[in-house]
Every structure is written in structure tokens, then in C-alpha cells.
Amino acid sequence: MSNLPQTATELLSGLESRKFSSVDVTQAYLDRIRAVDERVGAFLRIDEERGLKQAADVDARRAQKKSVGRLAGLPVAVKDVVCDKDQLTTCASRMLANFRPPYDATVVAKLKDADAILIGRTNMDEFAMGGSTENSAFQLTHNPWDLERTPGGSSGGAAACVAAGMAPLSIGTDTGGSIRQPAGLCGVVGMKPTYGRVSRYGLVAFASSLDQVGPLTQTVEDAALLMTTIAGHDPRDSTSLSLPAPDFTATVNQPIKGLRIGWAREHFAEGLDPEVETSVRAALKVYESLGAKIEEISLPHGRYAVAVYYVIAPSEASSNLARYDGVHFGYRTDEPAMLAELAAERKRLEAARDQPALDALDTALVRMYRRTRAEGFSGQKSNAASCLARTP
């Protein structure tokens, strides 16, 4: 890695001029993952064989002067909540531990069309519900700057792998801060795109009206490169914006003189950490020094945002996760063992002539639901997934 550029834009320039090959770049990042990820825990799975095969194919086409995609030869990590055909997509949950999607998410299809090298799947809070990446069913992810601290979440693995130099580009998802917060904690660039700008087709849903796929990168220029690749209308997503996506790389380096930036006075209220306020105000001064116009604005209804979020997000999560019940999708408990346990419980209650307990005893179907969810989900998700089932 020491002999290669650190940003995706610089790497792409070197690949296009053939200063180094895609195999060289991919192998360097795989070596970096082997060297540090045992301590960081950013990746759930690495796909070395597929990655090197894709890289060799890109190199061969470049050598033959054939057309290659926008990201040709660049390694990209993908959060394990975005479907990749025939590849494990677990959402960091035992419920989907063996799930292999029969199709690509639109974002993954766009990355493949752009000749990106898909090197691995990153850890996350289970079903993207969490803010620390401590709620994965499989492992913890640590902040590469301080292994005793959280990388944030739910896209903690996606942010940590970029911060630790294990991938130049990474795909995360954001419902209520799950790209932006880990980007902040790991010191990388992260952006939640406008809803509808990037297709949600093939994104395993948490809260459908809030979820968005977005970039995590080393620089803003790299974020523009990745956004240009994944943005655009998708007829398979009914919430996809029916407008052409611009080339974000064409304007990202333009001067910002005359740009209007609003800051909401309600966001600088009691409870804001003084260090955070100082940093934000310092950033506003930098923008002002570069010619931007800074304006104070008011968002009087912003105080209701958190309360509204915690009505919408759990409601939609309950609906989306209700399908993981042992019948429709995902893990199913050991049914013979469950039935034997239920029969033994019934026999014991009959012997004790405990009619109230017998009347309250689960049916086989209800017990299967309970056991499946208890074993397949963590407690937080099990409760959310069960809410809908309890509603008359």
C-alpha cells in the first residue's frame, strides 16, 4: 500500500495510465485486510478469488484497449445488507446466515457494470438497526483510530474499512444517520443521498421510507465518483427519482463562491456538545472564507424530528421484519426438537392438572414463531419483528 496512492481518484488515474495494474491494487488491499482486519473487524467476508479474477479481467481489457467501466479496477467494499447475486447477504443476522439472493441489487449491478472489484462484505448492526456496530450477530467492529472505541453504525464496517485503508471506496446505507455518524466517528467522508436519488431495489429493508444507499470514501472527490456511478432512476424502485443524475465529478472541484449555506438556529440548542458546536462553527467560517454566503435559518418543527422518527422507523421495521417468521423467509427453528419440547411441556401440565396453564400453552405454530425469532434475531430485532404479529 505504501507505493500506491491512497484516494480512489488517484488510483483510477494510475490505473488508466497503467502505472500499476488492477491486480496490483486489489492484491495490495487484500494484503492490508489480512494485516489489520483481525483487530478492526470491518469485514464479515472477503472474496479474494472473485476479486482477483475481476481485476485480471479488467487488466486484460485495458491491455487490449477495450472499453472499461467508470470504476474499472477499483476495489469496493459493500455493506452486507445489499443483495449480491449468489453471494451470502446476511444483514449481520443469524436469521439470514445462509441467504444467497437470486438477483443483484441495482447498486451492485451498477458497480459490476462499472467494473468495480467487489472485495468483500462489511459488518453492520443487525438489519441496520443500531448506531455502534455492536449489534451484529457475528462480531464487533472497532474504530481503527482507537480500538477501544466504536466506529459508529449501522455502517460501522463500511466506514472502518475505509478509515483503516482496507478499501478506497465503500457502500453503506443510512436510515437515521447510519452513514453520516460512522463517517464522523471514523474520520472519512460519508453522505446520505436525497431519498430516491439512489435505487433501493435489492436493499434489504429496515424502514423503507427512510433507507438510502450512499458512499463512504477518503475524500469528497471520491464520494462524487462513487455517487455518479450508483445514482440514477430505476424503474424497479417505485420511489426512485425520475430525473437524470448529474455527473457529480464535473462540479465537485468548482469554486463555492456565491453558494448559500443555511445553518438552523434550533440545532445549536441546549444539549449540543461544545466541541461539536465549535467544530461546526469553525467549518462555517472556512466556507465563508472561500466565498460562500452563510445564512441563519429557522426549522421550528425540527424539535419533533426524533419523536417522529421513532414512530416511523420502528413501525416500518416491524412490518419489514415480520416476514422472517420461519415460514416465509430466513431461519427456522429445529422443528422436531421444538415439537418434542412442547409435547413434554403439555404432558407435565396435564399431570399437574394445571388447566389455566394448558389453556395458555402455545400452539405448535405459535411456538415455532417464538422459537424462530428468539433464535434468529437478537432481542432488539425480535421485539420489533414481533410487534406486528401481536397487533390484532
Side-chain angles (χ1 to χ4, degrees):
M1 290 297 300
S2 59
N3 296 323
L4 291 173
Q6 299 301 303
T7 74
T9 303
E10 292 169 338
L11 284 167
L12 191 58
S13 176
L15 287 166
E16 289 171 346
S17 63
R18 300 181 67 184
K19 290 181 179 177
F20 38 78
S21 70
S22 178
V23 169
D24 293 336
V25 172
T26 303
Q27 189 63 65
Y29 278 101
L30 290 169
D31 291 344
R32 175 67 176 170
I33 292 168
R34 272 193 290 270
V36 304
D37 198 44
E38 185 176 352
R39 287 168 287 159
V40 176
F43 284 92
L44 287 173
R45 290 175 304 285
I46 303 300
D47 198 341
E48 181 170 356
E49 182 178 352
R50 181 172 70 153
L52 290 172
K53 183 177 179 181
Q54 290 173 333
D57 177 68
V58 169
D59 287 339
R61 283 187 284 137
R62 269 207 174 98
Q64 297 165 15
K65 300 189 181 332
K66 292 183 178 180
S67 176
V68 293
R70 181 186 294 273
L71 301 180
L74 284 179
V76 180
V78 179
K79 185 177 179 180
D80 203 29
V81 70
V82 185
C83 289
D84 186 350
K85 184 178 179 180
D86 298 328
Q87 304 298 314
L88 283 174
T89 302
T90 70
C91 300
S93 175
R94 288 184 294 272
M95 186 60 80
L96 292 178
N98 298 310
F99 175 56
R100 294 180 183 270
Y103 63 93
D104 282 331
T106 296
V107 165
V108 168
K110 284 175 174 282
L111 291 172
K112 290 179 179 179
D113 288 345
D115 289 321
I117 311 303
L118 305 183
I119 58 171
R121 311 283 291 185
T122 56
N123 195 28
M124 55 184 282
D125 289 295
E126 185 179 9
F127 280 97
M129 296 175 67
S132 64
T133 318
E134 295 172 294
N135 298 306
S136 168
F138 305 121
Q139 65 190 44
L140 289 175
T141 297
H142 303 275
N143 192 312
W145 297 104
D146 183 344
L147 297 176
E148 297 302 313
R149 297 180 184 269
T150 173
S154 63
S155 303
C161 75
V162 174
M166 293 186 277
L169 301 170
S170 185
I171 294 290
T173 65
D174 193 313
T175 304
S178 286
I179 288 175
R180 294 160 290 171
Q181 182 245 35
L185 294 186
C186 289
V188 299
V189 175
M191 186 182 95
K192 180 181 184 179
T194 299
Y195 188 80
R197 176 59 82 186
V198 179
S199 173
R200 291 185 303 108
Y201 179 78
L203 167 63
V204 181
F206 162 18
S208 305
S209 69
L210 301 170
D211 296 341
Q212 272 293 274
V213 182
L216 287 136
T217 63
Q218 291 279 5
T219 68
V220 173
E221 194 171 22
D222 289 354
L225 176 67
L226 190 50
M227 266 297 295
T228 300
T229 304
I230 64 175
H233 176 64
D234 180 6
R236 293 173 295 185
D237 177 1
S238 63
T239 64
S240 177
L241 189 62
S242 296
L243 290 173
D247 180 352
F248 298 101
T249 63
T251 56
V252 69
N253 287 314
Q254 288 182 355
I256 63 170
K257 186 176 181 179
L259 180 70
R260 296 171 65 205
I261 299 176
W263 64 273
R265 69 172 70 97
E266 291 84 2
H267 293 175
F268 293 80
E270 184 180 357
L272 179 63
D273 187 292
E275 284 188 68
V276 173
E277 180 173 0
T278 299
S279 295
V280 174
R281 291 194 182 280
L284 290 174
K285 289 187 178 298
V286 170
Y287 282 120
E288 192 170 35
S289 72
L290 295 172
K293 185 176 181 181
I294 309 300
E295 298 181 9
E296 180 181 347
I297 63 171
S298 177
L299 296 175
H301 298 107
R303 59 180 172 168
Y304 304 117
V306 173
V308 170
Y309 175 85
Y310 278 108
V311 172
I312 295 172
S315 298
E316 294 189 357
S318 173
S319 177
N320 284 323
L321 271 62
R323 71 193 72 176
Y324 306 110
D325 58 7
V327 176
H328 295 91
F329 295 97
Y331 169 82
R332 183 174 181 134
T333 191
D334 183 339
E335 196 167 356
M338 180 272 295
L339 291 172
E341 177 189 89
L342 187 60
E345 193 173 338
R346 179 176 296 279
K347 186 175 180 180
R348 178 178 58 79
L349 294 174
E350 287 173 343
R353 298 184 179 181
D354 189 344
Q355 193 58 46
L358 281 167
D359 292 341
L361 190 63
D362 289 341
T363 64
L365 181 62
V366 169
R367 180 61 61 90
M368 188 274 292
Y369 284 157
R370 290 182 187 274
R371 286 285 295 272
T372 293
R373 287 178 169 166
E375 295 165 3
F377 288 124
S378 70
Q380 179 184 2
K381 282 72 187 177
S382 182
N383 291 337
S386 298
C387 287
L388 189 67
R390 296 196 197 107
T391 304

